[in-house]
Amino acid sequence: MKPIFSIGPLSIYFFGLMIAIGVMAGLAILTREAKRRGLNYKLLIDGAIYSFIGGVIGARIIYVFMYDPIYFINNPLEIIFIHNGGLSIHGGILGGLAVGYIFLKRHKMPIWETLDIVAPALILAQGISRIGCDVFGGPISQALPWGMEVNGEYLHPSQAYEFLLDYLLFGYLWLRLKKSSYHGQIFIHYLIGYMIIRAIVEFSRINPMILGTISVSHLMSIVGITIGIFLMKYLKPRSTINNDNVITATDYYKTIFAVIVLMLLSVIIYFWVQG
C-alpha cells in the first residue's frame, strides 16, 4: 500500500485514507435518509460501524479460503496481517450484511427498508474507497493512454474502471430510492448491479481461474446475482408499497451533476497519486 506520511511508528496509507473518506461519505448519505424517513440515525451509525468491522473480517476470511488457502494453511499467522493485502470484496459485503442483519434484528428495526437506504450509501463508500486500492489489473497495451506503469509494465487501472461504474450505480440507486415499489428493491438492485460491475471489472484483473476466463470472483458474483434474483422474486409480491413520489427533471440534473463531479475528481486524484 502507498504510504502518505508517518507519525513515529504509525504510517498513514492512501488506501486507508480513501476508505475513511468513503465511510464518512456513506454515513452522511445514510444519516440524511434515515432522518428523512424517521429512522433512528444514531442507532444506524452504530450499526454501520459494527457492519464495517464485520465486513473487514468477512473480506479476509473469504480471501483466505477462496484465493490462496494452501499458503495460509502453511503460514497461519499471515491471516491476521491484513496490512499486507488480501481482502475479498464479496466477503466484505457478506460479512457486513451478516453483522448488519443481526444488529437490525436485535434492535427491532425494519430490515428491508433500512437496507434500501444503506444501498446507495454503501456503493458510494465502495467507489470512493477503491480510489486508494493499489491492486492493479493485468497487462495492457502501452498504446492505450490510460495504462498504469507499474515496475516497467503497463497495467489496467482496474480500480478506476470499478469506481467509475460504482458512481453510475450510485446515481441510479439514489434516484430509484425516491420511486421504489417494494421494500428491499433498492438493496436488491445494488446487489445485482454491483455483482455485474465486479464481474465486468474482473476481466481486466488477474485472479485464480476456475474455467477458461472465468475466475473465482466471477463465480462469487454469479452466486450474488442468483441470490439477488431469488430475493426479488420473494420480496416483490410480499412487500409492495404505494409510492406516489415523482422523480423530477431537477432530481435527474442534480444527480447527473453529482456523479460527473465524483467521476472527474476521483480520476484526477487516482492518476495523480497512483500514477
Side-chain angles (χ1 to χ4, degrees), residues 1 12-13 26 35 40 45 47 60 72 97 118 121-122 127 138 147-148 170 187 191 202 205 260 268:
M1 289 186 283
I12 305 299
Y13 293 93
K35 287 180 178 179
N40 189 335
I45 291 175
R60 187 58 169 175
F72 288 105
L97 287 176
V118 165
L122 182 56
M148 301 292 286
F170 165 73
F187 171 74
L191 180 62
E202 186 65 17
R205 292 166 56 95
I260 290 174
I268 291 169

Short mmCIF file of all heavy atoms in Angstrom, two decimals, residues 1 12-13 26 35 40 45 47 60 72 97 118 121-122 127 138 147-148 170 187 191 202 205 260 268:
data_model
loop_
_atom_site.label_atom_id
_atom_site.label_comp_id
_atom_site.label_asym_id
_atom_site.label_seq_id
_atom_site.Cartn_x
_atom_site.Cartn_y
_atom_site.Cartn_z
N MET A 1 0.84 -1.20 0.00
CA MET A 1 0.00 0.00 0.00
C MET A 1 0.87 1.24 0.00
O MET A 1 1.95 1.24 0.56
CB MET A 1 -0.93 -0.02 1.22
CG MET A 1 -2.04 -1.06 1.12
SD MET A 1 -3.24 -0.95 2.47
CE MET A 1 -2.29 -1.73 3.78
N ILE A 12 0.34 6.37 7.71
CA ILE A 12 -0.98 6.60 7.14
C ILE A 12 -0.91 6.27 5.65
O ILE A 12 -0.10 6.84 4.92
CB ILE A 12 -1.43 8.06 7.33
CG1 ILE A 12 -1.39 8.44 8.81
CG2 ILE A 12 -2.82 8.27 6.74
CD1 ILE A 12 -2.30 7.62 9.69
N TYR A 13 -1.72 5.32 5.22
CA TYR A 13 -1.69 4.86 3.83
C TYR A 13 -2.83 5.49 3.03
O TYR A 13 -3.90 5.79 3.57
CB TYR A 13 -1.80 3.33 3.78
CG TYR A 13 -0.60 2.61 4.37
CD1 TYR A 13 -0.60 2.22 5.70
CD2 TYR A 13 0.53 2.35 3.59
CE1 TYR A 13 0.50 1.56 6.24
CE2 TYR A 13 1.62 1.70 4.12
CZ TYR A 13 1.61 1.31 5.45
OH TYR A 13 2.69 0.67 5.99
N GLY A 26 -20.44 7.80 2.99
CA GLY A 26 -21.56 6.86 3.08
C GLY A 26 -22.42 7.13 4.31
O GLY A 26 -23.65 7.08 4.24
N LYS A 35 -32.87 10.27 8.72
CA LYS A 35 -33.60 11.39 9.32
C LYS A 35 -34.87 11.68 8.53
O LYS A 35 -35.95 11.92 9.10
CB LYS A 35 -32.72 12.64 9.35
CG LYS A 35 -31.60 12.61 10.38
CD LYS A 35 -30.80 13.91 10.31
CE LYS A 35 -29.71 13.94 11.37
NZ LYS A 35 -28.91 15.20 11.29
N ASN A 40 -34.04 5.83 13.39
CA ASN A 40 -33.07 6.19 14.42
C ASN A 40 -31.68 6.23 13.80
O ASN A 40 -30.98 5.21 13.75
CB ASN A 40 -33.14 5.19 15.57
CG ASN A 40 -32.31 5.61 16.77
OD1 ASN A 40 -31.34 6.38 16.64
ND2 ASN A 40 -32.67 5.12 17.94
N ILE A 45 -25.90 4.52 12.76
CA ILE A 45 -24.46 4.79 12.69
C ILE A 45 -23.69 3.75 13.49
O ILE A 45 -22.65 3.24 13.04
CB ILE A 45 -24.16 6.21 13.19
CG1 ILE A 45 -24.70 7.24 12.20
CG2 ILE A 45 -22.64 6.41 13.38
CD1 ILE A 45 -24.55 8.68 12.66
N GLY A 47 -24.71 0.73 14.03
CA GLY A 47 -24.80 -0.49 13.23
C GLY A 47 -23.85 -0.48 12.07
O GLY A 47 -23.26 -1.51 11.72
N ARG A 60 -11.51 -10.74 4.75
CA ARG A 60 -10.28 -11.50 4.97
C ARG A 60 -10.55 -13.00 4.95
O ARG A 60 -9.78 -13.77 4.35
CB ARG A 60 -9.65 -11.12 6.32
CG ARG A 60 -8.27 -11.73 6.56
CD ARG A 60 -7.29 -11.34 5.48
NE ARG A 60 -5.91 -11.72 5.85
CZ ARG A 60 -4.88 -11.57 5.05
NH1 ARG A 60 -5.04 -11.06 3.84
NH2 ARG A 60 -3.67 -11.92 5.45
N PHE A 72 -2.04 -19.97 3.27
CA PHE A 72 -2.40 -19.58 4.64
C PHE A 72 -2.43 -20.77 5.58
O PHE A 72 -2.24 -20.61 6.79
CB PHE A 72 -3.74 -18.84 4.64
CG PHE A 72 -3.65 -17.46 4.06
CD1 PHE A 72 -4.14 -17.19 2.79
CD2 PHE A 72 -3.06 -16.44 4.77
CE1 PHE A 72 -4.05 -15.91 2.25
CE2 PHE A 72 -2.96 -15.16 4.24
CZ PHE A 72 -3.45 -14.90 2.98
N LEU A 97 -23.09 -7.48 5.77
CA LEU A 97 -24.54 -7.70 5.77
C LEU A 97 -24.96 -8.63 6.90
O LEU A 97 -26.03 -8.45 7.51
CB LEU A 97 -24.99 -8.26 4.43
CG LEU A 97 -24.98 -7.28 3.25
CD1 LEU A 97 -25.34 -7.99 1.96
CD2 LEU A 97 -25.96 -6.13 3.51
N VAL A 118 -29.37 1.96 2.95
CA VAL A 118 -27.95 1.61 3.08
C VAL A 118 -27.31 1.44 1.71
O VAL A 118 -26.13 1.78 1.52
CB VAL A 118 -27.81 0.30 3.90
CG1 VAL A 118 -26.40 -0.30 3.75
CG2 VAL A 118 -28.10 0.56 5.38
N ALA A 121 -25.63 4.46 -0.01
CA ALA A 121 -24.52 4.87 0.85
C ALA A 121 -23.36 3.90 0.73
O ALA A 121 -22.19 4.31 0.68
CB ALA A 121 -25.00 4.94 2.31
N LEU A 122 -23.68 2.63 0.63
CA LEU A 122 -22.64 1.59 0.56
C LEU A 122 -21.88 1.65 -0.76
O LEU A 122 -20.64 1.59 -0.79
CB LEU A 122 -23.29 0.22 0.74
CG LEU A 122 -22.36 -0.99 0.75
CD1 LEU A 122 -21.28 -0.83 1.81
CD2 LEU A 122 -23.17 -2.27 0.99
N GLY A 127 -17.05 3.02 -3.94
CA GLY A 127 -16.42 3.72 -5.05
C GLY A 127 -15.29 4.61 -4.60
O GLY A 127 -14.18 4.58 -5.16
N GLY A 138 -4.48 -6.63 -15.13
CA GLY A 138 -3.49 -7.35 -15.93
C GLY A 138 -2.80 -6.44 -16.93
O GLY A 138 -3.10 -5.24 -17.02
N GLY A 147 -3.23 3.29 -19.43
CA GLY A 147 -2.48 2.24 -18.76
C GLY A 147 -1.61 2.80 -17.64
O GLY A 147 -1.08 3.90 -17.75
N MET A 148 -1.47 2.07 -16.56
CA MET A 148 -0.66 2.49 -15.41
C MET A 148 0.67 1.75 -15.45
O MET A 148 0.70 0.52 -15.51
CB MET A 148 -1.39 2.19 -14.11
CG MET A 148 -2.74 2.87 -13.99
SD MET A 148 -2.60 4.66 -13.83
CE MET A 148 -2.02 4.79 -12.15
N PHE A 170 -24.45 4.26 -8.13
CA PHE A 170 -24.90 5.16 -7.06
C PHE A 170 -25.96 6.13 -7.58
O PHE A 170 -27.00 6.33 -6.94
CB PHE A 170 -23.72 5.94 -6.48
CG PHE A 170 -24.15 7.12 -5.64
CD1 PHE A 170 -24.70 6.93 -4.39
CD2 PHE A 170 -24.04 8.42 -6.13
CE1 PHE A 170 -25.11 8.01 -3.61
CE2 PHE A 170 -24.45 9.50 -5.37
CZ PHE A 170 -24.99 9.30 -4.11
N PHE A 187 -31.96 -2.26 -2.34
CA PHE A 187 -30.85 -3.12 -1.93
C PHE A 187 -30.61 -4.23 -2.95
O PHE A 187 -29.46 -4.54 -3.30
CB PHE A 187 -31.11 -3.73 -0.56
CG PHE A 187 -30.10 -4.78 -0.19
CD1 PHE A 187 -28.82 -4.42 0.19
CD2 PHE A 187 -30.42 -6.12 -0.28
CE1 PHE A 187 -27.88 -5.38 0.50
CE2 PHE A 187 -29.49 -7.10 0.02
CZ PHE A 187 -28.20 -6.73 0.41
N LEU A 191 -27.27 -5.07 -5.03
CA LEU A 191 -26.59 -6.36 -5.01
C LEU A 191 -26.34 -6.89 -6.42
O LEU A 191 -25.21 -7.24 -6.77
CB LEU A 191 -27.41 -7.37 -4.20
CG LEU A 191 -26.83 -8.79 -4.09
CD1 LEU A 191 -25.49 -8.75 -3.37
CD2 LEU A 191 -27.82 -9.71 -3.36
N GLU A 202 -13.59 -7.73 -13.43
CA GLU A 202 -12.74 -8.91 -13.22
C GLU A 202 -12.03 -9.35 -14.49
O GLU A 202 -10.94 -9.93 -14.43
CB GLU A 202 -13.61 -10.06 -12.68
CG GLU A 202 -12.83 -11.29 -12.27
CD GLU A 202 -11.89 -11.05 -11.11
OE1 GLU A 202 -12.05 -10.03 -10.40
OE2 GLU A 202 -10.99 -11.88 -10.90
N ARG A 205 -8.60 -8.03 -14.50
CA ARG A 205 -7.76 -8.36 -13.35
C ARG A 205 -7.15 -9.75 -13.51
O ARG A 205 -7.51 -10.50 -14.42
CB ARG A 205 -8.57 -8.29 -12.05
CG ARG A 205 -9.01 -6.88 -11.69
CD ARG A 205 -10.07 -6.91 -10.61
NE ARG A 205 -9.64 -7.63 -9.43
CZ ARG A 205 -9.09 -7.07 -8.35
NH1 ARG A 205 -8.90 -5.76 -8.33
NH2 ARG A 205 -8.76 -7.78 -7.30
N ILE A 260 -21.01 13.16 -12.21
CA ILE A 260 -19.93 13.64 -13.08
C ILE A 260 -18.80 14.26 -12.26
O ILE A 260 -17.61 14.01 -12.51
CB ILE A 260 -20.48 14.66 -14.10
CG1 ILE A 260 -21.37 13.96 -15.12
CG2 ILE A 260 -19.32 15.38 -14.83
CD1 ILE A 260 -22.06 14.90 -16.09
N ILE A 268 -8.90 12.33 -11.31
CA ILE A 268 -7.76 13.22 -11.10
C ILE A 268 -6.92 12.75 -9.90
O ILE A 268 -5.70 12.65 -9.98
CB ILE A 268 -8.23 14.67 -10.88
CG1 ILE A 268 -8.81 15.24 -12.19
CG2 ILE A 268 -7.08 15.56 -10.41
CD1 ILE A 268 -9.53 16.56 -12.02
#
